[in-house]
């Protein structure tokens, strides 16, 4: 079975949108960090260590999500170049690596969403506890 140059090209729109979504998540996390920093400066007695630890982990995961997403796009481009130049076996192997990089990026994304959801649930619990008292 011969892979055509259009096969890796199909991933380009998906990868681009995924990287945009990752960038938006990174910016949102950055805003949360700045907000916590301001909150800590205004109220030095706040216990924010759990939130800070959570945000550090999310920043690290987002970095790796973006890395593997960008690597996937780079490998996809190299795959297309190999296919264009007639190196079909190499092009197929590089495309396979591109798919593996994309899978890694998506798995890390799922992990980051899980951590984010837990953080929001902790915030909701705190709000609920303060509301009841």
């Amino acid at each position: 079975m011969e892979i055509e140059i259009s096969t890796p090209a199909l991933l380009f729109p998906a990868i681009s949108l995924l990287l945009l979504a990752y960038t938006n998540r990174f910016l949102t996390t950055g805003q949360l960090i700045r907000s916590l920093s301001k909150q800590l400066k205004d109220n030095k007695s706040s216990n924010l260590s759990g939130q800070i630890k959570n945000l550090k982990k999310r920043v690290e995961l987002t970095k790796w999500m973006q890395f593997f997403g960008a690597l996937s796009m780079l490998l996809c481009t190299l795959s297309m170049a190999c296919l264009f130049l007639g190196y079909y076996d190499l092009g197929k192997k590089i495309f396979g690596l591109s798919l593996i990089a994309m899978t890694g990026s998506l798995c890390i994304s799922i992990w980051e969403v899980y951590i984010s959801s837990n953080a929001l649930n902790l915030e909701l619990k705190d709000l609920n506890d303060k509301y009841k008292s």
Side-chain angles (χ1 to χ4, degrees):
M1 178 177 127
E2 200 167 296
I3 189 170
E4 294 180 17
I5 197 167
S6 61
T7 304
L10 291 173
L11 281 184
F12 267 68
I15 295 171
S16 298
L17 288 173
L18 196 61
L19 289 175
L20 181 63
Y22 291 170
T23 300
N24 286 337
R25 285 161 93 169
F26 181 76
L27 292 173
T28 301
T29 304
Q31 287 174 337
L32 286 171
I33 291 169
R34 288 181 189 90
S35 173
L36 281 177
S37 177
K38 183 179 178 339
Q39 184 180 348
L40 187 59
K41 289 176 187 174
D42 293 345
N43 185 6
K44 294 184 182 351
S45 64
S46 294
N47 183 12
L48 302 174
S49 63
Q51 291 182 40
I52 291 168
K53 182 180 175 183
N54 182 287
L55 287 169
K56 285 172 109 174
K57 185 66 172 176
R58 287 178 60 193
V59 167
E60 188 69 19
L61 289 174
T62 302
K63 175 182 75 173
W64 287 109
M65 287 170 7
Q66 290 176 324
F67 171 79
F68 283 112
L71 179 63
S72 178
M73 183 170 260
L74 176 66
L75 291 171
C76 213
T77 304
L78 288 174
S79 172
M80 288 174 60
C82 287
L83 294 171
F84 180 75
L85 296 172
Y87 299 108
Y88 297 107
D89 287 340
L90 182 59
K92 283 195 252 184
K93 289 176 183 173
I94 293 174
F95 182 62
L97 290 174
S98 172
L99 293 175
I100 291 169
M102 177 57 64
T103 302
S105 177
L106 291 171
C107 289
I108 295 169
S109 175
I110 291 169
W111 186 9
E112 194 271 339
V113 167
Y114 177 77
I115 290 173
S116 299
S117 298
N118 284 342
L120 289 174
N121 284 331
L122 287 174
E123 279 295 316
L124 286 172
K125 183 183 178 306
D126 287 346
L127 284 172
N128 192 40
D129 291 347
K130 288 178 183 177
Y131 177 74
K132 284 182 179 178
S133 47

